[in-house]
């Protein structure tokens, strides 16, 4: 009862078909409207496709029924890609060498699975915001109204949640599973895109890996305390007071630092307490939707 609003998991096929359409449109756009390297065209095309898809969802959803919105938007992205091919008129329709980027999508898929396992269920802390927004937009309320006063629009971002609402509406998912999967997609893709940026700027494959690594681990800094000796960390127990969910495990700071975050309804794979918070929020899982979407658009 976590993933789908029915007994048939094949009900997600309409969303997969829509995703293939906007991905193809984005790939064509990246190949024919931009000067990109071979390893960049497919991954960048994924981002162009999904961002264009959300753009059309946001526009069409104001007038059309939700099923038509989330389906027609994918076709429009494909149409934009075909127009780019027609205007280019020089390059082949598809360059088969672009398929050499498949390892990047494999890594992205593995990361997405990991992030679903880590983040599963944590959406309950934002249920009044994200889950309500996803449900409202899946029902066709775009832009969404305030869940406590239907006469006012919800003065809150909803760009990344549009992907979740599409997963719910034409993918037959629950709002919480759609939100968890949406965040995992943004997080995994954001890391791949960061690696591509590093390779583009420094012209070395290792530079891409290092860039992605730095951006991910620059998001929080508490984990750096693990580099200190155990005796030093034990001394911090006297001066560090844990509050809220950080204190739920009942352990002193030095021991909590090496365990998973104890929280009601937590995910199957515990979120490491050492990475729970800190300075910055590049790829913090709790903000993976909004912040990571912003990073993706920027890159």
């Amino acid at each position: 009862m976590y993933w789908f609003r029915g007994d048939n998991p094949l009900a997600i096929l309409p969303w997969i078909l829509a995703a293939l359409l906007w991905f193809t449109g984005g790939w064509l756009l990246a190949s024919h409207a931009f000067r990109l390297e071979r390893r960049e065209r497919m991954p960048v095309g994924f981002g162009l496709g999904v961002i264009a898809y959300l753009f059309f969802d946001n526009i069409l959803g104001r007038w059309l029924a939700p099923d038509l919105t989330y389906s027609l938007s994918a076709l429009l992205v494909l149409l934009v890609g075909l127009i780019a091919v027609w205007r280019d008129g020089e390059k082949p329709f598809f360059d088969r060498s672009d398929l050499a980027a498949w390892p990047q999508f494999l890594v992205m898929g593995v990361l997405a699975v990991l992030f679903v396992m880590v983040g599963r269920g944590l959406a309950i802390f934002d249920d009044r915001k994200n889950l309500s927004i996803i449900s409202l937009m899946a029902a066709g309320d775009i832009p969404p109204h305030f869940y406590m006063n239907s006469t006012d629009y919800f003065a809150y971002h909803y760009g990344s949640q549009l992907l979740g609402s599409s997963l719910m509406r034409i993918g037959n998912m629950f709002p919480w599973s759609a939100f968890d999967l949406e965040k995992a997609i943004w997080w995994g893709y954001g890391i791949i895109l960061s690696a591509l940026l590093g390779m583009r700027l420094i012209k070395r494959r290792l530079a891409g890996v290092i860039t992605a690594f730095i951006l991910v681990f620059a998001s929080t800094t508490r984990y750096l305390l693990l580099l200190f000796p155990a005796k030093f960390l034990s001394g911090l127990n006297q001066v560090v007071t844990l509050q809220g969910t950080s204190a739920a495990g009942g352990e002193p700071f030095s021991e909590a630092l090496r365990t998973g975050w104890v929280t009601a309804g937590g995910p199957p794979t515990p979120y490491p307490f050492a990475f729970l918070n800190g300075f910055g929020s590049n790829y913090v899982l709790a903000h993976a939707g909004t912040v990571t979407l912003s990073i993706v658009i920027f890159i």
Side-chain angles (χ1 to χ4, degrees), residues 156-286:
Y156 190 70
H157 56 76
Y158 62 90
S160 65
Q161 291 89 339
L162 272 169
L163 183 61
S165 63
S166 72
L167 282 163
M168 182 179 176
R169 183 68 195 196
I170 61 175
N172 200 41
M173 300 183 75
F174 284 109
W176 47 83
S177 57
F179 185 48
D180 289 345
L181 181 56
E182 164 218 311
K183 289 193 298 180
I185 291 173
W186 289 126
W187 220 26
Y189 178 63
I191 292 174
I192 294 299
L193 207 58
S194 300
L196 283 175
L197 177 63
M199 285 187 281
R200 162 61 75 97
L201 295 177
I202 307 179
K203 305 300 183 183
R204 293 194 177 184
R205 190 179 300 272
L206 180 60
V209 176
I210 294 175
T211 300
F213 185 88
I214 290 174
L215 282 175
V216 170
F217 287 93
S219 299
T220 64
T221 55
R222 178 186 285 178
Y223 71 94
L224 292 175
L225 289 169
L226 293 172
L227 299 175
F228 288 90
K231 185 176 181 179
F232 173 80
L233 294 179
S234 298
L236 293 180
N237 294 336
Q238 308 300 320
V239 295
V240 175
T241 301
L242 300 179
Q243 297 179 345
T245 57
S246 295
E251 299 172 325
F253 178 71
S254 61
E255 295 181 21
L257 198 62
R258 295 183 172 87
T259 61
W261 179 30
V262 178
T263 178
T269 302
Y271 196 96
F273 180 81
F275 294 90
L276 182 56
N277 59 24
F279 299 103
S281 58
N282 295 338
Y283 289 119
V284 175
L285 190 59

Side-chain angles (χ1 to χ4, degrees), residues 14-286:
W15 186 88
I16 293 177
L17 176 59
L20 288 174
L21 291 176
W22 56 250
F23 176 38
T24 303
W27 183 9
L28 291 174
L29 189 61
S31 300
H32 294 272
F34 296 87
R35 284 181 284 187
L36 298 169
E37 298 179 10
R38 182 183 64 181
R39 65 168 176 248
E40 298 172 340
R41 287 194 285 262
M42 276 188 69
V44 171
F46 181 92
L48 289 171
V50 68
I51 297 301
Y53 178 64
L54 301 186
F55 173 82
F56 286 124
D57 285 341
N58 188 36
I59 299 299
L60 299 181
R62 299 163 190 261
W63 299 289
L64 302 181
D67 285 331
L68 185 57
T69 293
Y70 295 118
S71 303
L72 183 58
S73 294
L75 287 171
L76 286 177
V77 178
L78 178 61
L79 178 61
V80 171
L82 292 173
I83 292 174
V85 174
W86 171 70
R87 287 180 60 86
D88 181 17
E90 297 179 1
K91 301 175 186 175
F93 189 81
F94 276 123
D95 190 338
R96 295 177 62 181
S97 65
D98 291 359
L99 298 175
W102 68 265
Q104 299 177 41
F105 287 92
L106 178 61
V107 173
M108 175 182 165
V110 171
L111 289 173
V113 171
L114 173 64
F115 297 148
V116 166
M117 294 174 63
V118 172
R120 179 175 170 178
L122 296 183
I124 195 64
F125 292 107
D126 274 337
D127 60 350
R128 68 192 184 283
K129 297 187 295 184
N130 295 300
L131 300 189
S132 61
I133 291 175
I134 289 173
S135 298
L136 287 169
M137 293 192 298
D141 186 21
I142 301 176
H145 287 79
F146 185 32
Y147 58 90
M148 295 184 66
N149 185 355
S150 61
T151 61
D152 294 331
Y153 286 110
F154 196 12
Y156 190 70
H157 56 76
Y158 62 90
S160 65
Q161 291 89 339
L162 272 169
L163 183 61
S165 63
S166 72
L167 282 163
M168 182 179 176
R169 183 68 195 196
I170 61 175
N172 200 41
M173 300 183 75
F174 284 109
W176 47 83
S177 57
F179 185 48
D180 289 345
L181 181 56
E182 164 218 311
K183 289 193 298 180
I185 291 173
W186 289 126
W187 220 26
Y189 178 63
I191 292 174
I192 294 299
L193 207 58
S194 300
L196 283 175
L197 177 63
M199 285 187 281
R200 162 61 75 97
L201 295 177
I202 307 179
K203 305 300 183 183
R204 293 194 177 184
R205 190 179 300 272
L206 180 60
V209 176
I210 294 175
T211 300
F213 185 88
I214 290 174
L215 282 175
V216 170
F217 287 93
S219 299
T220 64
T221 55
R222 178 186 285 178
Y223 71 94
L224 292 175
L225 289 169
L226 293 172
L227 299 175
F228 288 90
K231 185 176 181 179
F232 173 80
L233 294 179
S234 298
L236 293 180
N237 294 336
Q238 308 300 320
V239 295
V240 175
T241 301
L242 300 179
Q243 297 179 345
T245 57
S246 295
E251 299 172 325
F253 178 71
S254 61
E255 295 181 21
L257 198 62
R258 295 183 172 87
T259 61
W261 179 30
V262 178
T263 178
T269 302
Y271 196 96
F273 180 81
F275 294 90
L276 182 56
N277 59 24
F279 299 103
S281 58
N282 295 338
Y283 289 119
V284 175
L285 190 59

